[in-house]
Amino acid sequence: MNMIFSELYSIYYQTMAAILKAATDHPLEAKEMQHIVGKYAFGESLLHILPAIEEQRWQLITPDGTTPLHKEPAMPLTLLEKRWLKAIANDPRMRLFGDDIFDFPDVEPLFLPEDILVFDRYADGDDYTDEAYIRNFRIILDAIKQQYPLKITLQNRRGNPLQMNVMPKYLEYSEKDDKFRLIGSSDRYGSTINLGRIISCERCQDGMARHLTRKSEQQRKVVFELFDQRKALERVLLHFAHCEKEAEKLDDQHYRITVVYDKEDETEMVIRILSFGPLIKVTAPQHFVNLIKQRLLNQKSCGL
């Protein structure tokens, strides 16, 4: 995947294509390039893209803000990309989003689903081929986009059906559990629902869920300082690629990273951060610092 999306037409390439497109029309100032990078790339991309342009390591934008190119850059799909896209089209999760799956009849898939062995995933993941699951997923996805409430019937832990009204906010996927979860505000019970437990869902009448409130205090932030040794910055940004985050350069080797995570994933976040050892020092909030200390104390006591 790195060969396809990091070295060829990655987000950096798409961002540079947008910069070059603008530069073929008029000379660019640094402020406009910052705006384009912020629109197309990640928050931490400013640390990499703009210095590469300013220092002429990427000799695509001249110091006066123009470009040697006379035509706008085009990025057609390569054969390798087509094979990759055809391979992921075989993933049963793709059908959750619609029946019109892209296809390239003239190419072979790069790999098949049975070629992938995941050894650290639970075996009781959601059944993505179940027609009821597909229908529920698409209704929920539409409700998130259109922002209307849902009446959901689900199965509780005892196997009994129960009903609840939910104002959906977003869907999240747990790679470890191989399950989708709906995050939203409900009139009863919790605000996180496993899609595999949903029996049916339908649109609520407008007056039925006016009292639903938005999910509050479910998202949290952790701030840590990073010592960029052994490509730690690259590894951390890749490790938390699925999270909203910000990166601030403190000096040549130190960065301040802010990561947004879901409250229910807090224990997993503690474990992930500890996996980087002394390269990461958590600075805020104090609640998270205490969790790190307690985890280390527990590990030390187990080793005695």
Side-chain angles (χ1 to χ4, degrees):
M1 288 188 291
N2 284 339
M3 181 174 63
I4 301 173
F5 294 107
S6 291
E7 303 299 333
L8 186 64
Y9 298 167
S10 69
I11 194 68
Y12 280 16
Y13 279 74
Q14 296 178 38
T15 304
M16 278 305 304
I19 291 174
L20 291 171
K21 181 178 179 180
T24 57
D25 179 68
H26 61 276
L28 296 181
E29 296 183 357
K31 188 174 182 179
E32 185 175 357
M33 283 192 283
Q34 290 177 3
H35 174 74
I36 294 174
V37 173
K39 180 179 179 181
Y40 288 93
F42 308 109
E44 66 273 9
S45 299
L46 288 170
L47 301 173
H48 303 285
I49 295 179
L50 293 184
I53 295 174
E54 294 169 358
E55 297 167 10
Q56 289 293 293
R57 285 184 278 117
W58 297 354
Q59 297 179 4
L60 298 170
I61 301 294
T62 58
D64 62 359
T66 61
T67 177
L69 300 182
H70 298 291
K71 295 182 179 180
E72 295 180 3
M75 298 192 296
L77 292 176
T78 66
L79 175 60
L80 191 57
E81 285 182 311
K82 289 180 179 179
R83 293 189 64 195
W84 163 259
L85 291 171
K86 187 158 185 175
I88 65 172
N90 291 327
D91 189 320
R93 290 169 295 188
M94 291 296 295
R95 189 164 170 252
L96 298 174
F97 299 90
D99 293 318
D100 297 329
I101 305 299
F102 46 79
D103 190 19
F104 304 100
D106 56 331
V107 300
E108 293 293 325
L110 192 60
F111 56 84
L112 298 174
E114 53 265 31
D115 295 329
I116 301 175
L117 176 62
V118 182
F119 57 86
D120 59 348
R121 176 187 293 173
Y122 292 112
D124 61 341
D126 290 347
D127 182 3
Y128 304 119
T129 62
D130 181 75
E131 293 298 328
Y133 186 99
I134 294 172
R135 176 184 176 276
N136 293 336
F137 186 97
R138 293 180 183 180
I139 291 174
I140 291 170
L141 191 62
D142 185 67
I144 292 171
K145 292 178 180 178
Q146 305 299 326
Q147 275 299 285
Y148 58 80
L150 293 171
K151 178 192 291 185
I152 293 178
T153 301
L154 66 151
Q155 192 176 53
N156 64 16
R157 288 182 174 85
R158 298 180 180 177
N160 300 320
L162 60 89
Q163 284 191 344
M164 58 195 301
N165 295 328
V166 178
M167 177 62 75
K169 186 175 182 182
Y170 61 90
L171 283 167
E172 67 178 21
Y173 174 71
S174 171
E175 186 175 1
K176 193 178 190 74
D177 296 329
D178 192 24
K179 297 176 185 289
F180 277 97
R181 296 180 290 204
L182 168 63
I183 310 299
S185 303
S186 65
D187 56 353
R188 57 191 300 194
Y189 309 109
S191 58
T192 301
I193 304 172
N194 289 332
L195 264 67
R197 293 171 54 200
I198 296 177
I199 300 171
S200 65
C201 61
E202 60 184 23
R203 183 169 185 162
C204 275
Q205 298 299 323
D206 292 341
M208 295 180 64
R210 291 177 180 173
H211 60 288
L212 293 179
T213 57
R214 292 282 184 183
K215 172 186 162 188
S216 61
E217 298 183 358
Q218 292 298 314
Q219 285 195 327
R220 294 184 172 181
K221 291 183 179 180
V222 58
V223 182
F224 54 83
E225 292 183 2
L226 169 77
F227 178 50
D228 190 18
Q229 188 181 58
R230 303 192 303 273
K231 296 186 177 180
L233 177 63
E234 180 180 341
R235 291 189 288 120
V236 165
L237 295 179
L238 181 62
H239 198 73
F240 296 107
H242 62 292
C243 298
E244 179 184 346
K245 57 191 174 300
E246 294 179 0
E248 178 186 356
K249 187 174 183 178
L250 302 178
D251 55 45
D252 289 341
Q253 287 189 304
H254 293 85
Y255 296 81
R256 181 182 292 114
I257 312 292
T258 302
V259 179
V260 180
Y261 64 93
D262 193 271
K263 179 181 177 181
E264 296 184 357
D265 297 329
E266 193 160 64
T267 301
E268 183 177 352
M269 285 296 297
V270 171
I271 296 171
R272 287 188 173 196
I273 287 176
L274 282 173
S275 69
F276 287 91
L279 298 178
I280 283 181
K281 179 184 178 182
V282 176
T283 58
Q286 187 60 43
H287 162 72
F288 203 98
V289 175
N290 293 339
L291 290 176
I292 292 287
K293 291 180 179 178
Q294 187 60 49
R295 187 89 184 182
L296 291 173
L297 288 173
N298 292 343
Q299 291 178 353
K300 184 177 180 181
S301 64
C302 290
L304 295 177

